[in-house]
């Protein structure tokens, strides 16, 4: 399963990025189960292939950063922990809140000042919505002209997409699901087997 994630990312990267140019990956972490799923997918991934690794978390998420560092060290993930660039953004949406309460401008600024990003990986937390739209806007403005967005739906979604998945379904470059049932309802969804 982890090998599939590796091949998926490498395939997107090779198509999107000239060989000689530096590569940057940004991964958006949610809290709780979203973070656990994302970490399990990257257990055997070699992050040293990237010159820049950016992790994103919500300001209200006080536990994920420590959990991520512990997981990376415990599983000996190939990454230079000292070089991880963290972006802490305002919580995009508390449960029950409207998406209109996003701190869009703060997210846009914090992401954009990091410079070019080649691949952004999301897996469904509300935090990913303003980040995704930042990338999409910067693609329109030709700031990130080659940046690809990979959305991996939550493992818990067997028959229906998450709200984040529904919002981003038509605008991301690759939309991946863990269950084949979803491909029957959503033609753009790709199923490569269970990824965690």
């Amino acid at each position: 399963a982890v090998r599939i994630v590796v091949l998926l990312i490498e395939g997107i990267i090779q198509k999107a990025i000239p060989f000689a140019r530096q590569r940057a990956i940004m991964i958006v972490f949610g809290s709780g189960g979203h973070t656990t799923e994302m970490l399990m997918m990257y257990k055997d991934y070699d992050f040293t292939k990237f010159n820049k690794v950016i992790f994103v978390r919500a300001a209200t998420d006080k536990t994920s950063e420590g959990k991520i560092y512990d997981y990376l060290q415990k599983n000996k993930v190939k990454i230079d922990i000292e070089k991880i660039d963290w972006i802490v953004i305002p919580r995009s949406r508390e449960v029950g809140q409207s998406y209109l309460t996003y701190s869009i401008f703060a997210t846009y600024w914090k992401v954009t000042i990091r410079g070019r990003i080649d691949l952004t990986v999301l897996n469904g937390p509300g935090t990913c919505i303003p980040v995704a739209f930042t990338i999409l806007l910067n693609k329109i403005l030709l700031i990130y002209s080659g940046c690809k967005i990979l959305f991996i739906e939550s493992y818990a979604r067997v028959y229906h997409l998450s709200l984040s998945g529904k919002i981003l379904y038509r605008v991301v470059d690759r939309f991946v699901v863990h269950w084949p049932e979803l491909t029957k309802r959503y033609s753009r969804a790709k199923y490569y087997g269970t990824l965690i």
Side-chain angles (χ1 to χ4, degrees):
V2 174
R3 180 65 180 158
I4 294 169
V5 174
V6 171
L7 293 173
L8 189 61
I9 290 173
E10 287 304 306
I12 292 171
I13 285 291
Q14 286 170 8
K15 289 179 183 176
I17 305 167
F19 180 77
R21 198 165 62 68
Q22 292 187 339
R23 304 192 300 181
I25 186 172
M26 179 167 65
I27 300 174
V28 180
F29 289 94
S31 57
H34 288 293
T35 291
T36 300
E37 284 182 22
M38 192 69 88
L39 288 171
M40 289 173 70
M41 286 187 282
Y42 286 101
K43 182 178 179 183
D44 296 321
Y45 192 71
D46 183 1
F47 285 96
T48 62
K49 298 174 182 179
F50 292 92
N51 297 85
K52 183 163 54 172
V53 177
I54 302 167
F55 287 171
V56 180
R57 70 167 177 84
T60 55
D61 181 1
K62 306 296 184 187
T63 60
S64 287
E65 194 168 322
K67 180 179 179 179
I68 291 164
Y69 279 128
D70 288 345
Y71 187 92
L72 295 174
Q73 291 173 330
K74 179 182 174 184
N75 291 283
K76 297 181 173 63
V77 176
K78 294 178 183 174
I79 188 169
D80 186 345
I81 290 178
E82 300 297 322
K83 291 185 178 178
I84 295 172
D85 183 8
W86 280 94
I87 299 177
V88 179
I89 62 174
R91 174 66 185 255
S92 55
R93 177 179 175 267
E94 299 291 347
V95 174
Q97 277 185 331
S98 165
Y99 274 102
L100 297 175
T101 62
Y102 280 177
S103 289
I104 297 281
F105 298 109
T107 299
Y108 181 83
W109 174 252
K110 288 184 174 200
V111 171
T112 304
I113 63 170
R114 287 333 199 264
R116 185 181 176 89
I117 296 166
D118 299 299
L119 176 64
T120 300
V121 185
L122 320 166
N123 76 332
T127 307
C128 77
I129 301 293
V131 173
F133 281 107
T134 292
I135 300 299
L136 290 168
L137 178 58
N138 283 340
K139 287 173 78 169
I140 292 168
L141 298 174
L142 302 180
I143 295 171
Y144 298 156
S145 59
C147 183
K148 300 295 182 186
I149 302 175
L150 169 62
F151 186 97
I152 304 173
E153 183 59 280
S154 172
Y155 181 80
R157 296 296 174 162
V158 181
Y159 299 106
H160 303 282
L161 299 182
S162 62
L163 182 55
S164 300
K166 290 175 182 175
I167 291 171
L168 297 175
Y169 173 70
R170 297 193 183 280
V171 297
V172 298
D173 297 287
R174 186 75 56 92
F175 194 98
V176 178
V177 295
H178 292 274
W179 301 99
E181 290 83 353
L182 285 168
T183 61
K184 297 170 186 173
R185 301 189 64 171
Y186 303 96
S187 60
R188 291 193 72 233
K190 303 295 181 189
Y191 171 69
Y192 301 101
T194 301
L195 303 179
I196 61 173

Short mmCIF file of all heavy atoms in Angstrom, two decimals, residues 127-168:
data_model
loop_
_atom_site.label_atom_id
_atom_site.label_comp_id
_atom_site.label_asym_id
_atom_site.label_seq_id
_atom_site.Cartn_x
_atom_site.Cartn_y
_atom_site.Cartn_z
N THR A 127 -8.89 22.02 7.29
CA THR A 127 -7.70 22.85 7.11
C THR A 127 -7.22 22.86 5.66
O THR A 127 -6.61 23.82 5.20
CB THR A 127 -6.56 22.33 8.02
OG1 THR A 127 -7.04 22.24 9.35
CG2 THR A 127 -5.35 23.22 7.97
N CYS A 128 -7.51 21.80 4.93
CA CYS A 128 -6.99 21.70 3.57
C CYS A 128 -7.71 22.62 2.58
O CYS A 128 -7.15 22.93 1.52
CB CYS A 128 -7.01 20.26 3.08
SG CYS A 128 -8.62 19.64 2.58
N ILE A 129 -8.92 23.07 2.89
CA ILE A 129 -9.69 23.86 1.93
C ILE A 129 -9.01 25.20 1.60
O ILE A 129 -8.76 25.49 0.42
CB ILE A 129 -11.13 24.08 2.41
CG1 ILE A 129 -11.85 22.75 2.62
CG2 ILE A 129 -11.90 24.97 1.44
CD1 ILE A 129 -12.11 21.97 1.36
N PRO A 130 -8.69 26.04 2.59
CA PRO A 130 -8.03 27.30 2.23
C PRO A 130 -6.65 27.11 1.61
O PRO A 130 -6.23 27.89 0.77
CB PRO A 130 -7.95 28.07 3.56
CG PRO A 130 -8.11 27.06 4.62
CD PRO A 130 -8.95 25.96 4.04
N VAL A 131 -5.96 26.03 2.00
CA VAL A 131 -4.66 25.74 1.40
C VAL A 131 -4.85 25.39 -0.08
O VAL A 131 -4.13 25.89 -0.95
CB VAL A 131 -3.94 24.60 2.15
CG1 VAL A 131 -2.66 24.20 1.41
CG2 VAL A 131 -3.63 25.01 3.58
N ALA A 132 -5.83 24.54 -0.36
CA ALA A 132 -6.09 24.15 -1.76
C ALA A 132 -6.46 25.35 -2.61
O ALA A 132 -5.96 25.50 -3.73
CB ALA A 132 -7.21 23.11 -1.80
N PHE A 133 -7.30 26.23 -2.08
CA PHE A 133 -7.69 27.38 -2.87
C PHE A 133 -6.56 28.40 -3.03
O PHE A 133 -6.49 29.12 -4.02
CB PHE A 133 -8.97 28.02 -2.32
CG PHE A 133 -10.19 27.25 -2.73
CD1 PHE A 133 -10.88 26.47 -1.83
CD2 PHE A 133 -10.62 27.27 -4.06
CE1 PHE A 133 -11.99 25.73 -2.23
CE2 PHE A 133 -11.73 26.54 -4.47
CZ PHE A 133 -12.42 25.77 -3.55
N THR A 134 -5.64 28.42 -2.07
CA THR A 134 -4.44 29.23 -2.22
C THR A 134 -3.61 28.72 -3.40
O THR A 134 -3.17 29.50 -4.25
CB THR A 134 -3.59 29.19 -0.93
OG1 THR A 134 -4.29 29.87 0.11
CG2 THR A 134 -2.22 29.84 -1.13
N ILE A 135 -3.42 27.41 -3.46
CA ILE A 135 -2.67 26.81 -4.56
C ILE A 135 -3.36 27.06 -5.89
O ILE A 135 -2.74 27.45 -6.89
CB ILE A 135 -2.47 25.30 -4.34
CG1 ILE A 135 -1.69 25.02 -3.04
CG2 ILE A 135 -1.77 24.65 -5.54
CD1 ILE A 135 -0.30 25.60 -2.98
N LEU A 136 -4.68 26.87 -5.92
CA LEU A 136 -5.44 27.09 -7.16
C LEU A 136 -5.34 28.54 -7.64
O LEU A 136 -5.14 28.80 -8.83
CB LEU A 136 -6.90 26.69 -6.96
CG LEU A 136 -7.15 25.20 -6.79
CD1 LEU A 136 -8.57 24.94 -6.30
CD2 LEU A 136 -6.90 24.46 -8.10
N LEU A 137 -5.46 29.48 -6.72
CA LEU A 137 -5.34 30.89 -7.09
C LEU A 137 -3.95 31.19 -7.62
O LEU A 137 -3.78 31.88 -8.63
CB LEU A 137 -5.67 31.79 -5.90
CG LEU A 137 -5.54 33.30 -6.14
CD1 LEU A 137 -6.44 33.76 -7.29
CD2 LEU A 137 -5.87 34.07 -4.87
N ASN A 138 -2.93 30.65 -6.95
CA ASN A 138 -1.56 30.89 -7.40
C ASN A 138 -1.26 30.22 -8.74
O ASN A 138 -0.41 30.69 -9.49
CB ASN A 138 -0.56 30.43 -6.33
CG ASN A 138 -0.47 31.43 -5.19
OD1 ASN A 138 -0.84 32.59 -5.33
ND2 ASN A 138 0.02 30.98 -4.05
N LYS A 139 -1.97 29.13 -9.05
CA LYS A 139 -1.83 28.53 -10.37
C LYS A 139 -2.45 29.45 -11.44
O LYS A 139 -1.88 29.63 -12.51
CB LYS A 139 -2.50 27.15 -10.39
CG LYS A 139 -1.71 26.09 -9.64
CD LYS A 139 -2.47 24.79 -9.52
CE LYS A 139 -2.43 24.00 -10.80
NZ LYS A 139 -2.93 22.62 -10.64
N ILE A 140 -3.58 30.03 -11.12
CA ILE A 140 -4.23 30.96 -12.05
C ILE A 140 -3.34 32.18 -12.28
O ILE A 140 -3.21 32.68 -13.40
CB ILE A 140 -5.61 31.39 -11.51
CG1 ILE A 140 -6.57 30.20 -11.54
CG2 ILE A 140 -6.18 32.56 -12.31
CD1 ILE A 140 -7.86 30.41 -10.76
N LEU A 141 -2.70 32.65 -11.21
CA LEU A 141 -1.82 33.82 -11.29
C LEU A 141 -0.43 33.47 -11.82
O LEU A 141 0.44 34.33 -11.89
CB LEU A 141 -1.70 34.48 -9.91
CG LEU A 141 -3.00 35.02 -9.31
CD1 LEU A 141 -2.76 35.51 -7.89
CD2 LEU A 141 -3.57 36.13 -10.18
N LEU A 142 -0.22 32.19 -12.14
CA LEU A 142 1.05 31.67 -12.65
C LEU A 142 2.20 31.76 -11.65
O LEU A 142 3.37 31.77 -12.01
CB LEU A 142 1.43 32.36 -13.97
CG LEU A 142 0.40 32.25 -15.09
CD1 LEU A 142 0.89 32.98 -16.33
CD2 LEU A 142 0.12 30.78 -15.41
N ILE A 143 1.85 31.85 -10.37
CA ILE A 143 2.88 31.83 -9.32
C ILE A 143 3.36 30.39 -9.12
O ILE A 143 4.53 30.11 -8.96
CB ILE A 143 2.33 32.41 -8.00
CG1 ILE A 143 2.00 33.90 -8.21
CG2 ILE A 143 3.33 32.23 -6.86
CD1 ILE A 143 1.26 34.53 -7.05
N TYR A 144 2.39 29.44 -9.13
CA TYR A 144 2.69 28.02 -9.04
C TYR A 144 2.19 27.34 -10.31
O TYR A 144 1.34 26.47 -10.27
CB TYR A 144 1.97 27.35 -7.87
CG TYR A 144 2.28 27.84 -6.48
CD1 TYR A 144 1.37 27.66 -5.46
CD2 TYR A 144 3.49 28.44 -6.17
CE1 TYR A 144 1.63 28.07 -4.17
CE2 TYR A 144 3.77 28.85 -4.89
CZ TYR A 144 2.83 28.67 -3.89
OH TYR A 144 3.09 29.07 -2.61
N SER A 145 2.68 27.71 -11.43
CA SER A 145 2.11 27.23 -12.69
C SER A 145 2.13 25.71 -12.83
O SER A 145 1.27 25.12 -13.45
CB SER A 145 2.81 27.88 -13.88
OG SER A 145 4.19 27.60 -13.84
N GLY A 146 3.12 25.03 -12.25
CA GLY A 146 3.20 23.58 -12.41
C GLY A 146 2.80 22.79 -11.19
O GLY A 146 2.90 21.57 -11.18
N CYS A 147 2.33 23.46 -10.16
CA CYS A 147 2.00 22.76 -8.91
C CYS A 147 0.82 21.81 -9.11
O CYS A 147 -0.17 22.16 -9.73
CB CYS A 147 1.67 23.76 -7.81
SG CYS A 147 1.32 22.97 -6.23
N LYS A 148 0.94 20.61 -8.58
CA LYS A 148 -0.13 19.62 -8.64
C LYS A 148 -0.73 19.43 -7.25
O LYS A 148 -0.04 19.52 -6.24
CB LYS A 148 0.40 18.27 -9.15
CG LYS A 148 1.01 18.34 -10.54
CD LYS A 148 -0.01 18.70 -11.59
CE LYS A 148 0.59 18.72 -12.97
NZ LYS A 148 -0.36 19.19 -13.98
N ILE A 149 -2.04 19.17 -7.24
CA ILE A 149 -2.73 18.90 -5.98
C ILE A 149 -3.22 17.46 -6.00
O ILE A 149 -3.97 17.06 -6.89
CB ILE A 149 -3.92 19.85 -5.77
CG1 ILE A 149 -3.46 21.32 -5.78
CG2 ILE A 149 -4.63 19.53 -4.45
CD1 ILE A 149 -4.61 22.31 -5.69
N LEU A 150 -2.79 16.70 -5.01
CA LEU A 150 -3.20 15.31 -4.84
C LEU A 150 -4.10 15.24 -3.61
O LEU A 150 -3.67 15.57 -2.50
CB LEU A 150 -1.98 14.41 -4.66
CG LEU A 150 -2.22 12.97 -4.21
CD1 LEU A 150 -3.05 12.21 -5.24
CD2 LEU A 150 -0.89 12.27 -3.96
N PHE A 151 -5.35 14.84 -3.81
CA PHE A 151 -6.29 14.70 -2.70
C PHE A 151 -6.52 13.21 -2.47
O PHE A 151 -6.93 12.49 -3.38
CB PHE A 151 -7.63 15.38 -3.03
CG PHE A 151 -8.60 15.39 -1.87
CD1 PHE A 151 -8.71 16.49 -1.05
CD2 PHE A 151 -9.40 14.29 -1.60
CE1 PHE A 151 -9.60 16.51 0.01
CE2 PHE A 151 -10.29 14.28 -0.53
CZ PHE A 151 -10.39 15.40 0.27
N ILE A 152 -6.24 12.75 -1.26
CA ILE A 152 -6.47 11.36 -0.89
C ILE A 152 -7.60 11.35 0.14
O ILE A 152 -7.42 11.82 1.27
CB ILE A 152 -5.21 10.69 -0.33
CG1 ILE A 152 -4.06 10.80 -1.34
CG2 ILE A 152 -5.48 9.23 0.03
CD1 ILE A 152 -2.71 10.32 -0.82
N GLU A 153 -8.76 10.86 -0.26
CA GLU A 153 -9.93 10.88 0.62
C GLU A 153 -9.69 10.04 1.86
O GLU A 153 -8.89 9.09 1.85
CB GLU A 153 -11.15 10.37 -0.16
CG GLU A 153 -12.46 10.39 0.60
CD GLU A 153 -12.88 11.77 1.11
OE1 GLU A 153 -12.35 12.20 2.15
OE2 GLU A 153 -13.74 12.40 0.48
N SER A 154 -10.36 10.38 2.93
CA SER A 154 -10.22 9.67 4.19
C SER A 154 -10.61 8.20 4.04
O SER A 154 -11.54 7.85 3.32
CB SER A 154 -11.10 10.32 5.27
OG SER A 154 -11.11 9.52 6.44
N TYR A 155 -9.88 7.35 4.74
CA TYR A 155 -10.15 5.91 4.75
C TYR A 155 -11.58 5.62 5.22
O TYR A 155 -12.20 4.64 4.81
CB TYR A 155 -9.14 5.22 5.66
CG TYR A 155 -9.28 3.72 5.74
CD1 TYR A 155 -8.77 2.91 4.74
CD2 TYR A 155 -9.91 3.13 6.83
CE1 TYR A 155 -8.90 1.53 4.81
CE2 TYR A 155 -10.04 1.75 6.91
CZ TYR A 155 -9.53 0.96 5.89
OH TYR A 155 -9.66 -0.41 5.97
N ALA A 156 -12.10 6.47 6.08
CA ALA A 156 -13.44 6.27 6.65
C ALA A 156 -14.55 6.47 5.63
O ALA A 156 -15.69 6.09 5.87
CB ALA A 156 -13.64 7.21 7.83
N ARG A 157 -14.23 7.07 4.49
CA ARG A 157 -15.25 7.36 3.48
C ARG A 157 -15.36 6.19 2.50
O ARG A 157 -14.51 6.03 1.62
CB ARG A 157 -14.89 8.65 2.75
CG ARG A 157 -14.93 9.86 3.66
CD ARG A 157 -16.33 10.08 4.17
NE ARG A 157 -16.40 11.14 5.17
CZ ARG A 157 -17.52 11.75 5.52
NH1 ARG A 157 -18.66 11.40 4.94
NH2 ARG A 157 -17.51 12.68 6.43
N VAL A 158 -16.40 5.40 2.67
CA VAL A 158 -16.59 4.20 1.86
C VAL A 158 -17.60 4.44 0.74
O VAL A 158 -17.39 4.01 -0.40
CB VAL A 158 -17.06 3.02 2.73
CG1 VAL A 158 -17.25 1.76 1.89
CG2 VAL A 158 -16.07 2.76 3.87
N TYR A 159 -18.69 5.14 1.04
CA TYR A 159 -19.75 5.34 0.05
C TYR A 159 -19.98 6.80 -0.35
O TYR A 159 -20.52 7.07 -1.41
CB TYR A 159 -21.08 4.78 0.59
CG TYR A 159 -21.02 3.30 0.88
CD1 TYR A 159 -20.96 2.84 2.19
CD2 TYR A 159 -20.99 2.36 -0.15
CE1 TYR A 159 -20.89 1.48 2.47
CE2 TYR A 159 -20.91 1.00 0.11
CZ TYR A 159 -20.87 0.57 1.42
OH TYR A 159 -20.79 -0.78 1.69
N HIS A 160 -19.58 7.73 0.51
CA HIS A 160 -19.80 9.15 0.25
C HIS A 160 -18.51 9.92 0.53
O HIS A 160 -17.74 9.56 1.41
CB HIS A 160 -20.93 9.70 1.13
CG HIS A 160 -22.22 8.97 0.95
ND1 HIS A 160 -23.04 9.18 -0.13
CD2 HIS A 160 -22.80 8.01 1.71
CE1 HIS A 160 -24.10 8.39 -0.01
NE2 HIS A 160 -23.98 7.66 1.08
N LEU A 161 -18.31 11.01 -0.20
CA LEU A 161 -17.14 11.85 0.02
C LEU A 161 -17.34 12.73 1.25
O LEU A 161 -18.46 13.06 1.63
CB LEU A 161 -16.90 12.75 -1.20
CG LEU A 161 -16.62 12.07 -2.53
CD1 LEU A 161 -16.37 13.13 -3.61
CD2 LEU A 161 -15.46 11.11 -2.44
N SER A 162 -16.23 13.11 1.86
CA SER A 162 -16.26 14.09 2.94
C SER A 162 -16.67 15.44 2.36
O SER A 162 -16.66 15.64 1.14
CB SER A 162 -14.87 14.20 3.58
OG SER A 162 -13.94 14.66 2.60
N LEU A 163 -17.00 16.39 3.21
CA LEU A 163 -17.34 17.73 2.73
C LEU A 163 -16.17 18.35 1.98
O LEU A 163 -16.34 18.94 0.91
CB LEU A 163 -17.77 18.63 3.90
CG LEU A 163 -18.20 20.05 3.54
CD1 LEU A 163 -19.32 20.05 2.51
CD2 LEU A 163 -18.62 20.81 4.80
N SER A 164 -14.95 18.17 2.51
CA SER A 164 -13.76 18.67 1.82
C SER A 164 -13.61 18.01 0.46
O SER A 164 -13.28 18.66 -0.54
CB SER A 164 -12.50 18.41 2.65
OG SER A 164 -12.58 19.06 3.90
N GLY A 165 -13.85 16.71 0.41
CA GLY A 165 -13.77 15.98 -0.85
C GLY A 165 -14.76 16.49 -1.87
O GLY A 165 -14.43 16.67 -3.05
N LYS A 166 -15.99 16.76 -1.43
CA LYS A 166 -17.02 17.28 -2.34
C LYS A 166 -16.63 18.65 -2.89
O LYS A 166 -16.86 18.94 -4.06
CB LYS A 166 -18.37 17.36 -1.62
CG LYS A 166 -18.97 16.01 -1.33
CD LYS A 166 -20.25 16.14 -0.51
CE LYS A 166 -20.83 14.77 -0.18
NZ LYS A 166 -22.00 14.87 0.72
N ILE A 167 -16.05 19.48 -2.04
CA ILE A 167 -15.66 20.83 -2.46
C ILE A 167 -14.51 20.78 -3.47
O ILE A 167 -14.50 21.51 -4.45
CB ILE A 167 -15.28 21.69 -1.24
CG1 ILE A 167 -16.54 21.97 -0.40
CG2 ILE A 167 -14.61 22.99 -1.66
CD1 ILE A 167 -16.25 22.61 0.94
N LEU A 168 -13.56 19.89 -3.23
CA LEU A 168 -12.34 19.88 -4.04
C LEU A 168 -12.34 18.87 -5.18
O LEU A 168 -11.43 18.87 -6.02
CB LEU A 168 -11.12 19.63 -3.14
CG LEU A 168 -10.87 20.70 -2.08
CD1 LEU A 168 -9.72 20.28 -1.17
CD2 LEU A 168 -10.58 22.04 -2.72
#
